[in-house]
Amino acid sequence: MEARVQHEAYVASLRAFTTELGTTLGRVGSMTVCTAGGVFADLSGKLQMLDQTGKALRALGDYPADVVPVKVAKKQNRRLANGTFLRSGRRDGRGSLQIDNGASRDAVVTVLRGKAKAFSVYLRRKSSFKVRGVRDGTYEVFFTHGADWDGRAFSRTCSFEQFEKSVRFRTTYTSTQIRWHDWRVTLHTVSGGNAPTKTVDPGAFPG
């Protein structure tokens, strides 16, 4: 009788895990869950239940239940300090790029000069940061929003965008003046804004 009860509990936990796996796959499709670590964290409760019922059944002796131990991290909210450079790059120019993140999620802004990554910087939600020393050139600006930065990407509620217009920095010299460009971009919708963005496939986002 005890074996039957434990077997039924094990089968029930398998079914619950299968159901939860389908739900998690839906969250991946909607980018509510964004990384492999995020998937395991999302499934942590059902994985632990499966592990516990499997061990209980196996403890009866003649009823083996193969269980592969998986260390599952709990959901986290890892963040970097505002203005942390993930890539600093060479910044010995005169220009600056003011970045305002008025969104409800943290962001990482990645700026390309040609095909090379010029710099990448972390901005917390409702925060701003000015990148100084931007060299002359034409730049493409990408940004990703999300929660729980794992060191490479946001594990939850992620999105990926790019400003449709490039940003050009140019320094000009005259006999009496030096002029350069200072730009400002916002990572949230603003009234009267003139810098539209477009969604970028995660695989095309510069890593």
Side-chain angles (χ1 to χ4, degrees), residues 2-207:
E2 183 179 358
R4 179 179 179 181
V5 172
Q6 293 297 344
H7 180 267
E8 290 177 348
Y10 183 61
V11 172
S13 64
L14 280 171
R15 289 172 177 166
F17 175 75
T18 301
T19 300
E20 188 67 17
L21 180 60
T23 302
T24 297
L25 289 175
R27 294 187 181 118
V28 171
S30 65
M31 293 190 180
T32 303
V33 175
C34 309
T35 63
V39 169
F40 281 116
D42 201 56
L43 293 170
S44 61
K46 294 297 185 287
L47 281 170
Q48 290 172 357
M49 182 184 299
L50 184 60
D51 182 62
Q52 291 170 0
T53 56
K55 287 179 178 178
L57 182 59
R58 186 172 54 188
L60 296 177
D62 295 329
Y63 301 91
D66 293 331
V67 178
V68 178
V70 178
K71 291 184 178 180
V72 180
K74 295 181 179 180
K75 287 185 179 180
Q76 302 180 71
N77 190 29
R78 292 165 288 185
R79 307 171 75 192
L80 299 180
N82 189 62
T84 298
F85 280 98
L86 305 177
R87 176 181 174 82
S88 180
R90 181 180 173 185
R91 292 180 290 110
D92 54 4
R94 293 182 177 272
S96 67
L97 180 64
Q98 171 76 26
I99 307 170
D100 298 329
N101 181 25
S104 59
R105 294 172 293 163
D106 289 2
V108 169
V109 176
T110 299
V111 179
L112 302 185
R113 187 173 185 261
K115 295 184 179 180
K117 186 186 294 185
F119 56 86
S120 184
V121 63
Y122 191 99
L123 281 90
R124 290 198 169 196
R125 58 180 179 265
K126 307 298 182 183
S127 298
S128 299
F129 185 75
K130 178 178 284 189
V131 180
R132 303 181 186 275
V134 181
R135 304 173 68 199
D136 287 1
T138 300
Y139 296 81
E140 303 292 333
V141 182
F142 297 77
F143 61 97
T144 174
H145 278 114
D148 183 37
W149 181 256
D150 68 4
R152 296 176 58 89
F154 290 110
S155 71
R156 301 192 306 276
T157 60
C158 58
S159 62
F160 303 86
E161 297 179 70
Q162 176 188 2
F163 283 97
E164 293 184 357
K165 297 180 181 179
S166 57
V167 178
R168 186 184 183 192
F169 290 84
R170 182 184 179 187
T171 303
T172 57
Y173 300 85
T174 69
S175 59
T176 58
Q177 293 180 325
I178 301 176
R179 295 181 178 180
W180 62 87
H181 287 94
D182 293 318
W183 288 93
R184 179 180 182 180
V185 296
T186 59
L187 309 184
H188 56 281
T189 303
V190 295
S191 178
N194 60 357
T197 64
K198 62 182 177 181
T199 301
V200 177
D201 185 276
F205 192 85

